[in-house]
Amino acid sequence: MVEHGATDEKDLSCGVKRNDLFEILKKNRDRIRQLHNVALQLSKAENEERIYDLIIEASRKILKFDTYSLDIVEGENLVVKRISECVTDSDTQVYSKQDGIAGRTLREGKTIALGSLAGNCEAKPISSDYKSALSIPVGIYGVFQTASNVEDAYREEDIDLAELLIAHAAEAISRVRARKEIFRLTYHDCLTGALSRYGLSEFAMMEIEKARKCDSPLSMIMIDIDNFKAINDSMGHVYGDFILSWIVRKIKEVICGSDLIIRWGGDEFILMLAGSDRSKASMTAERIRSHIKSECERENVKVAVSMGLTCYHGTGDGVDQMIFRADIALYEAKRQGKDCLRTF
């Protein structure tokens, strides 16, 4: 005799499980689709800050990780770049990249899933409420961590999807840094960090175009280190290289971040001062000269500079013409005893 009631109950139970399974599959498929869209955005990100934002946005909205910390390697430390609001009272914004679970994650280069934090000496949760955690390496660049108030909170599919997101993020960081390095090598002088001649060609024309369109002032100062050949001959080229880099550092301490400093060649540099007329540029030049003198006394360095100043003359004027005039003014400064400024 068949017990129809029991069979019906069994069929119903299977039906519920089957529906639950379909619902889980649909949910995961939707999450994968959303993560695919995030991956496309990561592939187009122009800088690391945008990448950090996309990681956090996806981890919260798609993976539903409300507690998180994104820490990026800087030298020998991990620096917290993004952290959830519930733990922003933490004083630990910089820590050794060797420390704790984050340090092990970075060293081993693989995800560490902690179903229970109880008794784990490496885990140092900010709150005792946290019962489980997930620590994922962002390639060689850092660590993403999330925690939960529930033990064994992270299922296998959660970990897989989180690793997928972070893998795309690591790829994006690698791409942005590679492009930044190519830019640096192409447009910057490797010794001093100033822009190279390529940088002058690229950016000086942009400044001239802005000055022309906005009818705003623009000045150029050509700087030459006095008696640099004698410094090289008497102290050696290593010390000469130190002086070149030192001069650039001291100039950067005076000028604005938007001003351009270019290594024109040898011991000659060019400054492009956007928004500076003759008077303002003259004051900047004198501040540079004065700053170098005071720093020489403080750091026991013996060096001085001569400078030639010219200004943008408007439509029809260009980089080559400005360099020609600045060079004439610089020659006059040299002729009149050095360690001074002359204006064309």
Side-chain angles (χ1 to χ4, degrees), residues 173-243:
I173 291 174
S174 176
R175 175 183 52 79
V176 166
R177 291 193 178 184
R179 187 176 60 194
K180 188 175 181 180
E181 181 63 9
I182 291 170
F183 180 90
R184 186 186 70 81
L185 292 172
T186 302
Y187 294 111
H188 287 79
D189 173 55
C190 60
L191 174 63
T192 64
L195 288 171
S196 64
R197 283 200 177 203
Y198 287 112
L200 174 67
S201 301
E202 182 76 14
F203 298 105
M205 285 304 300
M206 292 170 56
E207 293 299 333
I208 285 177
E209 186 63 16
K210 282 193 291 186
R212 184 186 66 80
K213 285 184 176 180
C214 303
D215 194 24
S216 58
L218 173 67
S219 295
M220 175 186 285
I221 301 173
M222 185 171 282
I223 301 172
D224 183 86
I225 300 175
D226 293 336
N227 306 314
F228 185 70
K229 185 179 183 303
I231 293 173
N232 261 340
D233 291 344
S234 61
M235 304 295 290
H237 288 279
V238 172
Y239 186 76
D241 287 348
F242 161 75
I243 290 295

Side-chain angles (χ1 to χ4, degrees), residues 328-342:
I328 291 175
L330 175 62
Y331 175 80
E332 187 64 19
K334 292 284 189 181
R335 195 181 68 83
Q336 294 188 16
K338 305 178 181 179
D339 189 20
C340 63
L341 168 73
R342 291 294 178 266

Side-chain angles (χ1 to χ4, degrees), residues 194-195 248 251-252 255 259-263 269-271:
L195 288 171
V248 170
I251 291 172
K252 285 182 175 179
I255 63 177
D259 296 332
L260 304 180
I261 177 168
I262 303 103
R263 187 179 180 190
F269 299 89
I270 288 175
L271 293 183

Side-chain angles (χ1 to χ4, degrees), residues 48-276:
E48 286 193 41
E49 292 297 319
R50 175 59 176 156
I51 293 170
Y52 303 157
D53 289 339
L54 286 168
I55 293 172
I56 298 309
E57 185 179 345
S59 66
R60 291 183 60 193
K61 293 183 178 179
I62 303 172
L63 302 178
K64 307 300 182 184
F65 297 161
D66 293 324
T67 303
Y68 53 82
S69 178
L70 176 62
D71 310 338
I72 298 297
V73 174
E74 291 185 7
E76 293 303 310
N77 294 317
L78 278 163
V79 179
V80 178
K81 296 295 185 180
R82 299 291 186 275
I83 193 167
S84 51
E85 293 179 0
C86 58
V87 292
T88 50
D89 58 342
S90 169
D91 293 329
T92 309
Q93 298 296 319
V94 180
Y95 59 99
S96 171
K97 67 180 183 181
Q98 306 297 327
D99 286 355
I101 294 295
R104 181 153 73 92
T105 302
L106 197 60
R107 288 194 303 274
E108 296 179 359
K110 62 183 182 181
T111 299
I112 298 175
L114 299 171
S116 175
L117 297 178
N120 191 308
C121 60
E122 279 187 304
K124 300 173 183 178
I126 295 172
S127 171
S128 59
D129 293 334
Y130 298 144
K131 307 300 181 185
S132 60
L134 197 58
S135 185
I136 306 173
V138 187
I140 60 172
Y141 308 110
V143 178
F144 174 82
Q145 294 183 306
T146 181
S148 173
N149 296 341
V150 180
E151 289 194 349
D152 297 313
Y154 304 102
R155 298 171 299 176
E156 189 174 340
E157 58 264 30
D158 293 325
I159 298 173
D160 289 344
L161 292 176
E163 287 180 329
L164 180 64
L165 167 66
I166 300 304
H168 281 292
E171 178 77 18
I173 291 174
S174 176
R175 175 183 52 79
V176 166
R177 291 193 178 184
R179 187 176 60 194
K180 188 175 181 180
E181 181 63 9
I182 291 170
F183 180 90
R184 186 186 70 81
L185 292 172
T186 302
Y187 294 111
H188 287 79
D189 173 55
C190 60
L191 174 63
T192 64
L195 288 171
S196 64
R197 283 200 177 203
Y198 287 112
L200 174 67
S201 301
E202 182 76 14
F203 298 105
M205 285 304 300
M206 292 170 56
E207 293 299 333
I208 285 177
E209 186 63 16
K210 282 193 291 186
R212 184 186 66 80
K213 285 184 176 180
C214 303
D215 194 24
S216 58
L218 173 67
S219 295
M220 175 186 285
I221 301 173
M222 185 171 282
I223 301 172
D224 183 86
I225 300 175
D226 293 336
N227 306 314
F228 185 70
K229 185 179 183 303
I231 293 173
N232 261 340
D233 291 344
S234 61
M235 304 295 290
H237 288 279
V238 172
Y239 186 76
D241 287 348
F242 161 75
I243 290 295
L244 291 169
S245 299
W246 187 87
I247 286 290
V248 170
R249 286 200 307 275
K250 298 310 165 186
I251 291 172
K252 285 182 175 179
E253 289 171 2
V254 174
I255 63 177
C256 300
S258 58
D259 296 332
L260 304 180
I261 177 168
I262 303 103
R263 187 179 180 190
W264 178 238
D267 61 324
E268 287 188 332
F269 299 89
I270 288 175
L271 293 183
M272 296 287 288
L273 308 178
S276 291

